[in-house]
Amino acid sequence: MVAMGGGPEVPSRGDSKELLLCVLPWPQKSSEKMMNEIRDEFPNLDLQYVQEKYEKRSDRGTMVLPEEIYKHAHVLATLHWLPPKASAVPELDLIQFFSAGTNHVAHHPIYKDSTIPLTTASGVHGPQISEWVIMMHLVHSHNYIPLYEAQKRKEWEGVAGRSVRDAVGQRVGVLGYGSIGRQVARVAKAMGMNVIAYTASPRTTPESKRDEGFIVPGTGDPDGSIPSAWYNGLDKKSLHEFLKQEIDLLVLCVPLTKDTTHFISTDEFSVLEKSNPHGTYIANISRGGIINQAALIKALETKQISGAALDVTDPEPLPSDDPLWSAPNCLITPHVSGNTAVYAERAFQVLRENLRRRMDGKKLVNQVDRKRGY
């Protein structure tokens, strides 16, 4: 809601209503349908919307709001913006992030010094990101880049298209078997690929293999039945045992924490090289810091791996003079794999589910464990 002067209006609420404040980068009109559904289902909520506007990535979360806008909020829906500290929002008892993770606010006082429950939109990214992963794998395995370059030269040259290795029987290693990894597994299995999974903790029982997060209907692996094998651990020995399994496509889906920073580096590239004569193709859709970027460039240059598809880099944006841009067999996109026209709608669905659980006193979906980092 915007005042005549161009700034956010101070919410006007009945005393009996709780304030649900949305500070999001999309125009309010794009989310009006879901917002109206929430208003209808929760008449005790006064829903107020402020569009967070920024020109540069570095400006995200820096918008200054008058204290009157947020000081009486009970629930906050946000992508980047947070109040300055917990004492500024004494009635706040839920922050619903519209992002998959919270590492971008890990140093904020509300994250470090408060106990306000934080939840994420994990689960809304599976369909579009899994399509990006498979698209990049097919571009690589079908040698599409040289064919496209020949098209631009107007040359009918099919040599590059003869050395295709189709997906049937190839092994996909999903490092981080959350909602994104589960949808990658679903699509990969439909293509005839074998899937193995890696998680931080053991998944030895049917209950532990289930996905307890938000699931886009008709997607993912809700009961965890797709992987032919599960591996686990945060130590290098356990990780190397997983990487030894002749993985053709390694998909990095783990959150960035102190334990996973540079989780894939020189030693891991060596393990992959020794285990797979065809070469492993790596797709990273998590965070750039999961990979030691200097080691990745060397692995590409020395053909320790067959190639890489990166939607994330370290840093972001990637500087124009960074050697990663010219590394061989490397495809880079500017952190866009999670984009979809229905992103906000799906994220509001997660918010609505958590509003239900909050009202009923049930466990929240996608609640962040601050000690674990996700």
Side-chain angles (χ1 to χ4, degrees), residues 12-306:
S12 58
R13 303 177 298 116
D15 291 339
S16 62
K17 288 196 172 187
E18 295 182 325
L19 174 61
L20 164 56
L21 176 62
C22 301
V23 184
L24 297 165
W26 300 281
Q28 181 173 343
K29 285 184 178 180
S30 66
S31 304
E32 202 66 54
K33 177 177 179 292
M34 285 300 303
M35 289 166 59
N36 285 335
E37 290 180 7
I38 289 174
R39 288 188 180 100
D40 290 342
E41 185 172 352
F42 303 95
N44 65 308
L45 290 180
D46 180 16
L47 196 158
Q48 301 288 340
Y49 193 101
V50 176
Q51 184 178 357
E52 180 188 11
K53 296 181 180 180
Y54 49 85
E55 295 182 358
K56 300 179 294 183
R57 290 172 62 92
S58 59
D59 293 337
R60 295 181 303 185
T62 62
M63 182 177 67
V64 178
L65 286 180
E67 184 181 357
E68 288 298 319
I69 296 289
Y70 56 80
K71 73 176 183 179
H72 295 300
H74 292 79
V75 179
L76 170 65
T78 182
L79 190 60
H80 311 111
W81 183 86
L82 284 175
K85 53 188 177 181
S87 60
V89 278
E91 299 175 77
L92 192 64
D93 60 28
L94 172 62
I95 301 177
Q96 173 69 61
F97 284 94
F98 274 37
S99 54
T102 54
N103 62 293
H104 61 297
V105 296
H107 300 294
H108 193 283
I110 283 183
Y111 188 98
K112 294 192 302 179
D113 305 327
S114 83
T115 58
I116 300 171
L118 313 175
T119 57
T120 72
S122 178
V124 308
H125 309 79
Q128 63 272 33
I129 292 184
S130 64
E131 291 175 12
W132 182 96
V133 169
I134 297 302
M135 173 182 71
M136 290 300 196
H137 180 249
L138 291 175
V139 165
H140 171 72
S141 63
H142 284 251
N143 296 313
Y144 178 70
I145 298 298
L147 292 171
Y148 179 61
E149 293 299 326
Q151 177 190 341
K152 290 194 292 184
R153 295 191 302 268
K154 302 178 181 180
E155 295 177 359
W156 188 270
E157 178 54 68
V159 174
R162 295 174 189 168
S163 55
V164 171
R165 183 168 176 242
D166 64 55
V168 176
Q170 290 196 46
R171 176 163 291 159
V172 181
V174 182
L175 186 59
Y177 203 63
S179 60
I180 295 170
R182 288 170 185 257
Q183 179 62 6
V184 170
R186 185 187 185 104
V187 178
K189 184 177 181 181
M191 295 172 65
M193 305 177 85
N194 173 257
V195 178
I196 59 175
Y198 192 95
T199 50
S201 55
R203 298 288 191 270
T204 56
T205 64
E207 292 77 15
S208 66
K209 293 180 180 180
R210 292 191 185 119
D211 185 356
E212 300 295 340
F214 177 82
I215 303 173
V216 176
T219 72
D221 180 19
D223 59 1
S225 61
I226 291 178
S228 61
W230 291 68
Y231 298 80
N232 68 275
L234 289 171
D235 59 287
K236 290 293 188 178
K237 182 179 178 181
S238 299
L239 174 62
H240 289 183
E241 186 61 31
F242 171 70
L243 298 179
K244 288 178 182 177
Q245 305 307 310
E246 200 171 334
I247 296 172
D248 297 294
L249 171 61
L250 175 63
V251 186
L252 307 183
C253 305
V254 292
L256 181 63
T257 67
K258 64 179 181 179
D259 292 316
T260 62
T261 298
H262 289 185
F263 208 38
I264 304 296
S265 190
T266 302
D267 292 344
E268 288 66 50
F269 291 124
S270 179
V271 172
L272 290 171
E273 180 185 25
K274 293 175 182 176
S275 70
N276 189 349
H278 297 289
T280 300
Y281 191 68
I282 296 179
N284 187 10
I285 51 79
S286 51
R287 292 293 184 268
I290 303 297
I291 301 179
N292 180 330
Q293 204 153 280
L296 171 64
I297 293 170
K298 184 176 180 181
L300 289 165
E301 291 175 342
T302 59
K303 298 184 179 180
Q304 282 186 297
I305 57 176
S306 64

